[in-house]
Amino acid sequence: MSRIAARFEQLAGRGRTALIPFVTAGDPSPEVTVPLMHAMVAAGADLIELGVPFSDPMADGPVIQRATERALAQGISLGQVLEMVRVFRAQDQDTPVVLMGYLNPIEVMGYASFSEQASAAGVDGALIVDLPPEEGHDLIAMMRDQGLDLVNLIAPTSTEARIAKIGQVASGFVYYVSIKGVTGAANLDVGTIADKVGEIRAQIRLPVGVGFGIKDAETAGQVARVADAVIVGSAIVGRIESLAETPERIPESIAEFLGGLRAAIDVADGREHGSTSH
């Protein structure tokens, strides 16, 4: 069983919705990333999504695009991101880490080399934004050989046939994009999210994480009532940006923000499980 599957099984047994923060590796500087990862775990993160900087982040909104630019200005490469994970693993062997990014840096490194190095560093899976389920069979096979999960995005516009196709290749969990468009946009419609999550669960026997548009404790708690995981990106990255000139404050600040989200999710979990036990 992969570290991701084991973590979700453990959380399900405790009736706990996963909290998955996203940060861009190397933003605003390489020295911040690993301490920030540890601080997020201490604040209640169950998995971590670590963004791999790429020069054309087409699915990302302006907040995460600027984070990518800051990281690229520091010269952050895929190899350096893997080294960050390796350093993180020296103190934390339990928290799953999923890389999120684009296919090009993996192609440059080579599919086999990436899969081997990622596994050796302690990476648990990858979400490759521009890898449709119909493609990338060689990469998927190499990742599986190394015990890496492939996390797939599902959009509000995804049809039942599309969801079924994603289910054939996805592992670990699937990431439902709750809002059309780029990251960090618009407002949530929890009723619509609940309907779509139900549709996904009817087709895919994996945990369903929901992200895009979760800005605060209130929205995190709302999503926790209908999803297996709450994924938060732009709201965290925006706070990192505001502290870019005082990077030593970032781990504590983000931990405080995540602590509020974790508390709201725990309240939602308690209400849900309390209501079903009577």
Side-chain angles (χ1 to χ4, degrees), residues 167-186:
Q168 293 170 6
V169 298
S171 61
F173 66 100
V174 292
Y175 183 152
Y176 174 57
V177 179
S178 59
I179 295 168
K180 298 175 190 173
V182 297
T183 55

Side-chain angles (χ1 to χ4, degrees), residues 4 8 47 49 98-99 124-129 131 143 148-154 166 169-176 206-207 231:
I4 294 172
F8 273 107
L47 296 84
E49 276 190 1
V98 175
L99 301 185
D124 298 289
L127 193 166
I128 305 166
V129 175
L131 181 69
M143 286 177 60
L148 299 172
D149 284 319
L150 178 69
V151 179
N152 283 81
L153 292 171
I154 297 177
I166 289 168
V169 298
S171 61
F173 66 100
V174 292
Y175 183 152
Y176 174 57
L206 289 172
I231 304 169

Side-chain angles (χ1 to χ4, degrees), residues 15-254:
R16 174 171 160 131
T17 301
L19 173 59
I20 307 180
F22 166 92
V23 296
T24 299
D27 174 37
S29 66
E31 298 78 21
V32 171
T33 301
V34 173
L36 175 57
M37 292 168 72
H38 288 304
M40 293 192 299
V41 173
D46 299 294
L47 296 84
I48 292 174
E49 276 190 1
L50 194 58
V52 178
F54 177 55
S55 56
D56 185 22
M58 59 188 179
D60 295 317
V63 172
I64 294 177
Q65 284 190 16
R66 290 195 297 271
T68 293
E69 290 166 4
R70 289 191 296 272
L72 289 174
Q74 299 278 337
I76 300 299
S77 65
L78 176 54
Q80 288 170 289
V81 176
L82 296 181
E83 177 62 16
M84 291 174 188
V85 177
R86 189 191 67 77
V87 173
F88 173 76
R89 280 279 169 252
Q91 293 182 46
D92 186 328
Q93 290 84 47
D94 300 320
T95 305
V97 175
V98 175
L99 301 185
M100 185 170 182
Y102 296 83
L103 188 59
N104 180 266
I106 297 173
E107 288 182 327
V108 171
M109 180 175 281
Y111 292 169
S113 180
F114 165 74
S115 300
E116 292 164 6
Q117 290 187 51
S119 179
V123 171
D124 298 289
L127 193 166
I128 305 166
V129 175
D130 53 347
L131 181 69
E134 302 85 0
E135 299 175 18
H137 300 296
D138 290 346
L139 173 57
I140 293 167
M142 291 176 191
M143 286 177 60
R144 283 192 177 145
D145 286 346
Q146 295 294 330
L148 299 172
D149 284 319
L150 178 69
V151 179
N152 283 81
L153 292 171
I154 297 177
T157 53
S158 297
T159 62
E160 287 190 10
R162 182 75 176 171
I163 292 169
K165 191 175 288 288
I166 289 168
Q168 293 170 6
V169 298
S171 61
F173 66 100
V174 292
Y175 183 152
Y176 174 57
V177 179
S178 59
I179 295 168
K180 298 175 190 173
V182 297
T183 55
N187 294 308
L188 293 173
D189 179 345
V190 177
T192 301
I193 292 170
D195 291 342
K196 193 69 175 188
V197 168
E199 187 182 323
I200 294 166
R201 285 177 174 152
Q203 300 244 39
I204 298 178
R205 301 185 71 84
L206 289 172
V208 181
V210 173
F212 285 45
I214 299 169
K215 296 180 171 67
D216 50 28
E218 181 184 2
T219 47
Q222 290 171 345
V223 170
R225 289 182 167 84
V226 299
D228 301 302
V230 174
I231 304 169
V232 186
S234 294
I236 294 171
V237 176
R239 281 168 171 78
I240 291 171
E241 180 173 43
S242 71
L243 295 169
E245 298 304 316
T246 53
E248 68 280 359
R249 294 174 54 201
I250 289 172
E252 182 180 0
S253 175
I254 299 307

